[in-house]
Amino acid sequence: MEHLLQYIWQNRLFYPAGIITNDDASLPVEVLNPGILNKDAGPDFSCAIIKIGDTQWAGNVEIHVDGNDWYTHHHDKDRAYNNVILHVVQKASAIPAKDSNGRVIPEIILRFPDSILERFDTFSLSHSVIRCADSLACMPQLVRDAWLDRLLIERMQQRVELVESILTECGGDWEQALFCMIARSLGQGVNSEQLQTLARRTPLRIVKRLSSQMEIEALLYGVAGLLDELKSEDSDEYVKVLKREFSVLKARYRELQGELQPIIWKRLRIRPGNFPAVRIAQLASVVFASKGNLSSLYATIDIKSIDKSLNLQASPYWESHYDLGRSGSEKSSRIGHSSRRLILLNGIIPWMYTRARLGSEREKQDNILKMLEFVKPETNSKLDSWIEIGINPENEAEAQALLMLYNGYCQHNKCLHCHWCHYILKKKINI
């Protein structure tokens, strides 16, 4: 409830007229500036400007549901609250609030339309993850689109932080960072961290010196530690060649950082097509096709060209095997549509956007985001929740924004931070 009061105060959804101090003086109070919400320790709002009687004050504002919470929270002993100029409550306190110096803090009762509380209670009592579902039908398209545009930027910002982190790990090498992002995307969550680590430990400057896809596969499988776990009796001719090749490469390139532990790779309860060995073979095909110059493939903003560059076949061995030394039914080892899509959305586009952002290329950033408007959205359970209530993403840009809203707001009950909720709470309020 206190968060709702902070929201009402921050957005001036209270009745501004007739505010008086809750004491014998009953001085008129005018809120010139509610202040800046403080998300850290200390008073709720800083830099507020309040006129009490004939005196204008500048300082902090503290908000409580019950005025007695001032003492429950021990603010009377905390010097950080000595600059509080106004105590805002829903329920008046029995004892006036005092700071650590004994100064009495002026207090007011926050009065606001009952409809705000009624609507907020409707959200709070809803059993749906999307608590405002019943109120979205009357949402103007302009309000919907404006919030979705901001959510898309917010979602991309999360990806930017990941790319920047990986870029730092790669010593500022953009191409190596792209290699890591593509590898991470191929992991599809289950082995994403492992594949990212594998790519980081496999320098592209070495890959560029290799002349065959077999050498690249040997390097990747060797660094992954997957060759060491195979006993001689489990090694077919393909695996034996990989072992010989990696032995030569390890001796030639001393800068290799050592192999990963085989135990880190996950195979339990995943489809054979997603086994780490298969994904590594597909990663090798991407690197081999680009001759190690990954960034040159994505210099232009063209969805079809990027998808075509990823439509690759792993080596023939993987048409009849699902793991090293383990044969299975015949299948395609091509990077499928869904995998190419994940590489594009989770790897290449975030990398492109981050590079443009750090290079202050604003127009290019906008064009990269527009790429998503030409990608048809694929449904999943979270998007289905939006579709069921009549919010249908027309393209991947809208789908990504809705996923951000679902994951970042709806699932965490952050209704008061959502612009759609803000519109619903303010609707038909005359203040």
Side-chain angles (χ1 to χ4, degrees):
M1 185 61 187
E2 191 167 300
H3 289 303
L4 178 60
L5 296 182
Q6 291 174 354
Y7 174 85
I8 291 170
W9 177 261
Q10 181 182 22
N11 292 282
R12 294 176 175 269
L13 300 181
F14 52 84
Y15 293 117
I19 303 176
I20 59 173
T21 56
N22 185 37
D23 54 24
D24 293 338
S26 299
L27 295 173
V29 176
E30 184 180 358
V31 181
L32 302 177
N33 189 327
I36 301 169
L37 180 62
N38 174 30
K39 298 181 180 180
D40 299 315
D44 294 321
F45 289 86
S46 62
C47 304
I49 302 176
I50 311 293
K51 187 176 182 180
I52 303 175
D54 295 326
T55 307
Q56 184 170 303
W57 299 83
N60 301 330
V61 172
E62 180 66 9
I63 296 180
H64 287 123
V65 176
D66 189 325
N68 293 313
D69 287 341
W70 179 273
Y71 292 100
T72 303
H73 299 164
H74 306 295
H75 297 332
D76 58 314
K77 299 176 182 178
D78 191 340
R79 299 173 74 180
Y81 289 79
N82 284 0
N83 195 33
V84 170
I85 58 174
L86 188 65
H87 188 209
V88 180
V89 300
Q90 185 180 24
K91 179 183 177 183
S93 55
I95 305 172
K98 295 182 180 180
D99 65 15
S100 65
N101 294 322
R103 179 179 63 92
V104 175
I105 311 294
E107 180 180 283
I108 65 169
I109 297 174
L110 192 65
R111 304 187 189 283
F112 51 90
D114 292 338
S115 58
I116 294 178
L117 187 56
E118 290 168 2
R119 288 182 181 134
F120 184 74
D121 284 343
T122 301
F123 296 162
S124 301
L125 297 173
S126 174
H127 296 294
S128 171
V129 175
I130 304 172
R131 290 164 178 77
C132 62
D134 295 336
S135 305
L136 291 179
C138 58
M139 181 78 64
Q141 193 67 40
L142 186 63
V143 176
R144 287 192 192 186
D145 293 346
W147 184 221
L148 290 178
D149 287 344
R150 288 193 57 178
L151 287 166
L152 177 59
I153 297 294
E154 192 172 332
R155 183 157 175 89
M156 193 58 67
Q157 180 57 35
Q158 290 184 341
R159 305 287 174 81
V160 166
E161 291 172 4
L162 173 62
V163 175
E164 288 181 331
S165 173
I166 291 175
L167 182 63
T168 299
E169 291 179 359
C170 295
D173 187 330
W174 279 103
E175 196 149 49
Q176 192 74 38
L178 176 57
F179 185 30
C180 290
M181 290 295 292
I182 292 173
R184 181 185 179 89
S185 303
L186 273 170
Q188 297 192 357
V190 181
N191 283 298
S192 290
E193 293 289 341
Q194 296 89 324
L195 278 165
Q196 176 187 320
T197 302
L198 170 61
R200 181 170 54 80
R201 287 201 181 190
T202 309
L204 282 175
R205 63 179 179 274
I206 293 178
V207 174
K208 290 176 181 180
R209 300 173 191 171
L210 306 182
S211 58
S212 69
Q213 187 164 336
M214 175 66 81
E215 284 184 300
I216 296 173
E217 290 177 358
L219 180 62
L220 289 171
Y221 286 125
V223 174
L226 295 180
L227 298 179
D228 290 339
E229 69 175 346
L230 290 171
K231 299 177 182 179
S232 298
E233 57 268 25
D234 297 326
S235 299
D236 50 32
E237 189 57 35
Y238 172 75
V239 173
K240 289 177 181 176
V241 172
L242 290 177
K243 286 184 173 183
R244 288 197 300 269
E245 290 284 356
F246 182 63
S247 179
V248 172
L249 293 172
K250 189 162 59 169
R252 182 185 304 165
Y253 300 108
R254 300 292 184 181
E255 63 264 45
L256 290 173
Q257 300 175 27
E259 296 93 281
L260 300 174
Q261 294 297 318
I263 196 172
I264 70 170
W265 299 100
K266 297 177 182 178
R267 299 181 178 89
L268 190 63
R269 289 191 292 275
I270 64 175
R271 294 186 298 107
N274 288 331
F275 270 31
V278 177
R279 292 305 186 189
I280 291 172
Q282 293 172 339
L283 180 61
S285 69
V286 174
V287 179
F288 179 69
S290 68
K291 295 181 173 56
N293 297 306
L294 290 170
S295 59
S296 64
L297 294 176
Y298 314 117
T300 59
I301 302 173
D302 186 340
I303 287 285
K304 291 183 178 179
S305 295
I306 294 174
D307 183 72
K308 185 178 180 180
S309 73
L310 294 172
N311 190 10
L312 301 167
Q313 186 86 23
S315 56
Y317 180 85
W318 296 104
E319 294 178 9
S320 57
H321 291 77
Y322 64 93
D323 207 348
L324 289 169
R326 297 179 181 178
S327 59
S329 57
E330 193 169 314
K331 61 184 184 309
S332 173
S333 58
R334 185 174 295 278
I335 301 177
H337 171 73
S338 61
S339 293
R340 299 198 304 272
R341 179 187 181 84
L342 287 174
I343 294 172
L344 176 70
L345 297 178
N346 298 335
I348 296 170
I349 287 182
W351 177 86
M352 293 172 68
Y353 184 84
T354 304
R355 192 164 191 178
R357 186 173 183 273
L358 294 183
S360 300
E361 299 176 85
R362 189 59 180 270
E363 184 178 352
K364 191 169 185 179
Q365 289 179 63
D366 294 340
N367 289 336
I368 291 168
L369 291 181
K370 286 179 181 177
M371 290 173 68
L372 297 173
E373 297 177 8
F374 297 95
V375 180
K376 185 178 179 181
E378 284 192 358
T379 58
N380 56 45
S381 59
K382 294 177 181 179
L383 288 178
D384 285 344
S385 298
W386 290 111
I387 294 171
E388 287 171 6
I389 62 174
I391 307 292
N392 294 281
E394 295 183 0
N395 51 55
E396 191 58 39
E398 292 185 1
Q400 291 290 313
L402 289 171
L403 287 173
M404 181 68 219
L405 180 55
Y406 190 97
N407 294 331
Y409 293 80
C410 300
Q411 282 192 319
H412 300 287
N413 301 336
K414 294 175 68 175
C415 299
L416 294 178
H417 300 274
C418 173
H419 288 207
W420 288 355
C421 175
H422 182 67
Y423 174 84
I424 294 167
L425 290 177
K426 285 188 67 177
K427 189 180 178 186
K428 295 183 181 178
I429 292 177
N430 296 314
I431 295 178

